[in-house]
Amino acid sequence: MNTLNPNIPSTELSRLMTTAVSKLHDYQLILLTPQLLLRTFLDDQTAVAHQILRRLQKERGFDWDDLVRRVEQVTHLSKGRDAQFNFTDDFGKDTPLADETLVVLDEGLTIAQSREELKVNSGHALAAMAQKNVTTYAVLQRVGVTSEAVLELLAESTAEGMPIIFDYVDEAKKGQAQAVYQRETLLNELIGLLALANQRHVILVGPEGAGKRTLVYSLAQLLAEGKGPGDLRSVVEINEPALLENPLATMRVALRRSSGGILLVPGIERFFADRIRARLPENVTRELHKAMLGSEHVIIGTAVPGVYDRLNTDPIIRQNTQRLDVPAATKAEATAMLLFHQKRLEQEYEIEVTREGLETAVTLAGQYIKTIALPAAAVQLADRACALVRLVTQEHVANLPQVAADGTLSPDDVMVAASQMTKIPIAKLNADERGKYANMVEHLHQRIIGQDEAILAVSRAVKTARVGLRDPKRPIGSFLFLGPSGVGKTELAKALAEFMFGTEQAMLVLDMSEYQEEASVNRLIGSPPGYVGHEAGGQLTNFVRERPYTVVLFDEVEKAHERVFDVLLQVLEEGRLTDSQGRLATFSETVVIMTSNLGSKHMLVPVIGEHERELVLDEVHHFFRPEFLNRLDEIILFHQLSGDQLALILDLMLKKELQLAGAQGIELQLTDAAKQWLLAQNDEPQYGARPLRRIIARHLREPLADFLLREGGNRPAGSQTTITIDATDKGLDFQM
């Protein structure tokens, strides 16, 4: 007994055949017949065949229930003959097929392939069932369901058997072209390369979202209008799901359809794999390589800059292609592109889209969205904003007071969407930056006790950068924080993140003690191709690409391997890193902070004088390379905290404890004696404020929990309770 090739039926048809198998017992059948399969189509509203039959019912006016009754009758009567083929259902069970079912599948496959589709879906099967060589023909013919009528409607189906290729010239001729914008200079350059007598293949190189594909769509529009190179009649792109499903068959169909025209290959590096690991089967890549060596096709591929550099080492690329750089769109170009989308946005989201809203999308996307370039960043933001407006207008979302339920996209709505995408608070997006930074020192002092010199130095550097007096490529600020443990180095980094970007979470902390080996640098930028972790990218580059407005803290930087410092040099000088995937991470909106304990023994004093400073800096200059230190904005020294300063820090920490208790309906009142007692428990003042957290946890929080469990068990839910905390000879005393 043979088994049906599992690649013939689509996932949809396989599911329907599995359902039909489950009904065999109801009809006292042994074989899976086309009648039973048709009966299953009638019941399943999601099936392509069902949707086509419903369309035909509207057009021809036949009685649906009558059709169901007739198919039910013939299903009971038609037992079929064994085709000597089994169907393996979705549960792994084998069921024999009737000979006519095999005919339906064979004819369905012929129909699918004639439409350049890879697998048989229920629509193809229905068209085969309506042919004269199958007994289902009679019952379908009776209600006017013909194979031709099914095929006509099948062209409109969107279920699995979608076309293998898209021909954008055909779509343009039918008036179905995608919204495009024409960057005339680039378009003319592309046309010039395509007009060459040889080496006509082109690789479009640019960042993600720059409009590489859109440039080709613009070209297709010109070809549809009879402009451009006269010998090119089509622009064909492979359907990605089809490529994943059956790569070889898809590639061959695409090459056949693009003969005498252009084949667009986004991410062309997939077909020029590393020596260690192939991205696609070798026979698939070989087909594309042969096409690039011939003259029947013109291949236009796309790649991001870092990937192209590796790709260009392949002789086929180097000797047979031309490079065309596609930079990110300008603000004016992106606005023009977005205006093309205005009508689509209004239709899809059923709202009014204002020009001002779209212009705001371009401005905010260009300024704050760094993961992809313009124009794609602006298009994504506009779609996100339109979706929010629609949800609020239709009352699906009730907790967005910033978005008016007026069905109109405004600049404020775009700002809310930008805040959601970038995690930057709306207040920052809409803030008066100059006024905000004028009060930077005072704001930082609310969290940082002492360390006046450090706060002033950081504020000075950041404010200078914010008014534009800096290299726009480099980080906003780059600092080396030096000092003993517990003096506020990490706390100042957190305070900066909260002040500049609205939340402490806008901070990446990298412990450099974990980066002491040479290979550990791969964790920052990603492993080379062929190595474990290549696909994951790097911890540093991934984070900054996704959240470019952030503080990056390299803790205990002196412990890092020398190769890590090579990475840091590029960040500090160029403000960018390219990861192992060829993706660019920009650091122009980051603050880079490195902490170190070098020279801390000279800073164990309340005030750092010139002598101590000289000793510290001497150690620093002996350890770090000059080119590294020269790229820093400031080297900042943190002195040891005095007893009075520790008392103020304790007060800040206790405020948080009071807030936590208040959220539980408990008012804590600590006497001065209790605070002094807590301070007295710090027998390690050389570690600054760090021991205070442990002291609060051990001597306040834990005893408070015990007290509440012991004394507060009868406290009514939701009631307010006041607990006074005083100090005795034995420790803290809790009174309710």
Side-chain angles (χ1 to χ4, degrees):
M1 181 78 68
N2 298 309
T3 300
L4 180 70
N5 186 340
N7 289 323
I8 291 177
S10 68
T11 304
E12 179 236 20
L13 182 57
S14 182
R15 174 179 61 81
L16 291 164
M17 291 174 71
T18 299
T19 302
V21 166
S22 69
K23 297 179 179 180
L24 284 173
H25 179 74
D26 298 341
Y27 293 91
Q28 298 181 346
L29 297 175
I30 300 173
L31 308 175
L32 177 54
T33 65
Q35 289 81 7
L36 179 57
L37 195 55
L38 178 57
R39 182 70 184 85
T40 305
F41 293 169
L42 292 170
D43 284 342
D44 194 315
Q45 297 181 9
T46 65
V48 177
H50 183 100
Q51 295 165 14
I52 290 173
L53 287 168
R54 285 292 187 184
R55 289 279 303 275
L56 290 172
Q57 180 201 10
K58 287 183 179 180
E59 292 179 7
R60 287 159 171 72
F62 62 80
D63 188 320
W64 183 269
D65 293 335
D66 181 61
L67 175 61
V68 172
R69 282 193 299 272
R70 292 182 182 277
V71 174
E72 179 82 9
Q73 289 173 359
V74 298
T75 303
H76 279 285
L77 296 172
S78 302
K79 305 299 182 182
R81 293 191 300 271
D82 196 337
Q84 301 298 309
F85 268 86
N86 281 337
F87 162 67
T88 304
D89 65 21
D90 293 349
F91 301 103
K93 178 185 176 183
D94 287 335
T95 300
L97 297 176
D99 56 352
E100 283 196 330
T101 305
L102 198 61
V103 170
V104 166
L105 293 170
D106 186 58
E107 289 292 328
L109 185 59
T110 301
I111 292 169
Q113 290 176 340
S114 71
R115 296 168 48 81
E116 296 179 343
E117 297 169 356
L118 295 179
K119 294 189 177 186
V120 183
N121 66 22
S122 63
H124 303 132
L126 180 64
M129 290 175 179
Q131 295 182 355
K132 291 182 179 180
N133 57 343
V134 184
T135 53
T136 47
Y137 168 80
V139 68
L140 292 171
Q141 182 74 19
R142 185 180 180 90
V143 295
V145 177
T146 64
S147 183
E148 293 75 16
V150 174
L151 289 173
E152 187 176 340
L153 292 177
L154 189 58
E156 302 176 19
S157 71
T158 57
E160 256 182 293
M162 52 172 73
I164 292 175
I165 58 92
F166 304 104
D167 189 334
Y168 294 108
V169 173
D170 276 352
E171 290 189 8
K173 288 179 178 178
K174 296 173 183 175
Q176 299 173 350
Q178 299 188 31
V180 298
Y181 72 111
Q182 298 195 11
R183 300 168 75 174
E184 287 191 12
T185 302
L186 279 174
L187 195 58
N188 289 334
E189 286 186 48
L190 177 58
I191 291 171
L193 294 175
L194 296 174
L196 294 172
N198 48 48
Q199 286 190 326
R200 301 174 71 187
H201 310 305
V202 181
I203 309 293
L204 304 177
V205 182
E208 293 180 39
K212 299 183 290 292
R213 290 197 206 192
T214 306
L215 187 65
V216 182
Y217 301 155
S218 298
L219 173 66
Q221 183 72 50
L222 287 182
L223 294 178
E225 296 169 0
K227 304 173 185 178
D231 61 330
L232 299 175
R233 60 176 183 267
S234 62
V235 176
V236 171
E237 183 179 1
I238 299 172
N239 184 355
E240 288 290 327
L243 184 64
L244 294 173
E245 195 170 87
N246 195 333
L248 184 58
T250 299
M251 178 56 69
R252 286 174 173 169
V253 169
L255 289 172
R256 185 173 70 251
R257 280 293 303 272
S258 62
S259 181
I262 296 168
L263 177 62
L264 173 61
V265 186
I268 197 170
E269 70 275 1
R270 296 173 294 171
F271 299 89
F272 292 83
D274 314 307
R275 297 180 183 273
I276 299 175
R277 184 185 66 181
R279 302 281 187 94
L280 286 165
E282 187 177 347
N283 54 1
V284 180
T285 64
R286 192 184 304 119
E287 292 285 335
L288 183 63
H289 295 181
K290 286 192 304 185
M292 296 189 73
L293 294 170
S295 58
E296 293 182 7
H297 310 81
V298 172
I299 309 296
I300 297 181
T302 71
V304 296
V307 168
Y308 178 81
D309 294 339
R310 298 200 304 270
L311 188 62
N312 199 42
T313 61
D314 191 294
I316 295 178
I317 293 292
R318 193 171 57 253
Q319 298 169 14
N320 296 278
T321 68
Q322 305 284 340
R323 170 174 177 162
L324 177 60
D325 287 311
V326 182
T330 65
K331 186 176 178 180
E333 290 170 338
T335 302
M337 170 83 173
L338 210 48
L339 289 172
F340 272 108
H341 285 266
Q342 185 172 12
K343 186 175 180 181
R344 172 187 68 82
L345 293 168
E346 290 182 333
Q347 290 176 343
E348 290 183 354
Y349 296 102
E350 300 176 335
I351 64 172
E352 180 185 351
V353 177
T354 65
R355 182 185 181 100
E356 293 79 9
L358 296 181
E359 289 174 345
T360 302
V362 172
T363 300
L364 293 179
Q367 188 172 355
Y368 294 106
I369 299 176
K370 304 297 183 180
T371 51
I372 55 173
L374 291 175
V379 175
Q380 285 191 12
L381 178 55
D383 269 285
R384 183 85 170 248
C386 288
L388 282 179
V389 173
R390 182 182 182 183
L391 287 171
V392 172
T393 301
Q394 297 181 350
E395 298 183 350
H396 294 305
V397 175
N399 58 347
L400 281 175
Q402 308 97 326
V403 179
D406 57 2
T408 301
L409 180 72
S410 70
D412 288 343
D413 302 329
V414 177
M415 198 172 296
V416 174
S419 177
Q420 291 185 349
M421 289 181 68
T422 63
K423 308 298 187 277
I424 301 172
I426 295 173
K428 171 171 171 55
L429 296 176
N430 198 28
D432 179 355
E433 291 279 289
R434 292 180 181 269
K436 174 182 175 180
Y437 282 92
N439 300 314
M440 184 175 181
V441 172
E442 291 77 5
H443 184 92
L444 294 179
H445 268 307
Q446 293 176 9
R447 290 188 56 170
I448 308 299
I449 303 300
Q451 312 302 353
D452 294 351
E453 184 180 349
I455 291 174
L456 286 170
V458 168
S459 301
R460 189 168 54 245
V462 171
K463 286 193 286 188
T464 301
R466 273 295 180 229
V467 297
L469 300 177
R470 67 168 179 122
D471 186 338
K473 296 185 302 182
R474 298 181 62 193
I476 295 170
S478 54
F479 308 103
L480 177 61
F481 287 179
L482 301 170
S485 178
V487 295
K489 300 189 298 293
T490 302
E491 187 66 19
L492 180 53
K494 291 179 180 179
L496 268 176
E498 186 270 333
F499 173 77
M500 297 182 68
F501 308 126
T503 172
E504 287 186 12
Q505 304 307 312
M507 185 166 81
L508 173 65
V509 181
L510 296 168
D511 186 348
M512 291 293 99
S513 64
E514 300 177 3
Y515 294 84
Q516 300 185 50
E517 303 295 328
E518 182 177 2
S520 63
V521 74
N522 294 336
R523 291 164 55 197
L524 294 175
I525 62 174
S527 300
Y531 287 82
V532 174
H534 171 63
E535 297 293 340
Q539 293 177 346
L540 173 60
T541 50
N542 279 357
F543 190 95
V544 173
R545 282 183 70 252
E546 294 171 3
R547 299 190 67 167
Y549 293 83
T550 192
V551 172
V552 183
L553 176 65
F554 298 91
D555 198 24
E556 297 186 284
V557 70
E558 75 275 9
K559 296 180 179 179
H561 191 272
E562 285 186 6
R563 282 197 62 204
V564 173
F565 284 95
D566 293 335
V567 171
L568 287 173
L569 281 172
Q570 186 174 344
V571 169
L572 298 177
E573 182 63 22
E574 301 293 332
R576 59 185 176 84
L577 283 176
T578 302
D579 70 5
S580 59
Q581 303 283 316
R583 299 171 300 193
L584 186 66
T586 58
F587 290 77
S588 58
E589 297 296 338
T590 66
V591 175
V592 178
I593 296 174
M594 289 154 278
T595 69
S596 174
N597 293 324
L598 284 174
S600 59
K601 62 181 181 287
H602 305 300
M603 291 179 278
L604 298 174
V605 291
V607 179
I608 299 174
E610 288 300 318
H611 177 65
E612 290 85 6
R613 183 178 296 275
E614 273 186 35
L615 293 172
V616 173
L617 294 180
D618 188 56
E619 277 195 43
V620 170
H621 282 90
H622 274 91
F623 186 89
F624 294 111
R625 291 181 284 181
E627 62 266 30
F628 170 74
L629 295 175
N630 291 336
R631 284 169 171 80
L632 296 171
D633 291 328
E634 293 277 354
I635 299 175
I636 299 173
L637 277 57
F638 287 69
H639 58 75
Q640 191 177 39
L641 297 170
S642 67
D644 291 343
Q645 289 168 342
L646 287 174
L648 292 172
I649 292 171
L650 178 68
D651 278 338
L652 286 178
M653 291 181 177
L654 290 174
K655 281 183 181 179
K656 293 183 179 180
E657 298 298 317
L658 299 182
Q659 290 171 356
L660 288 172
Q664 304 299 317
I666 301 169
E667 181 186 356
L668 297 182
Q669 295 180 350
L670 278 85
T671 65
D672 290 339
K675 295 177 182 178
Q676 289 300 319
W677 187 90
L678 288 170
L679 279 173
Q681 307 312 304
N682 185 8
D683 54 2
E684 297 176 312
Q686 68 272 23
Y687 294 122
R690 190 156 291 169
L692 295 179
R693 299 185 187 280
R694 185 182 68 252
I695 291 168
I696 290 173
R698 182 180 298 174
H699 297 289
L700 176 63
R701 195 181 303 155
E702 294 174 7
L704 176 62
D706 291 336
F707 176 79
L708 288 171
L709 290 171
R710 186 175 64 252
E711 304 292 337
N714 297 322
R715 187 167 66 96
S719 64
Q720 287 290 120
T721 302
T722 300
I723 298 176
T724 302
I725 305 171
D726 200 0
T728 67
D729 294 339
K730 298 180 180 180
L732 295 180
D733 179 62
F734 298 83
Q735 296 291 331
M736 188 179 295

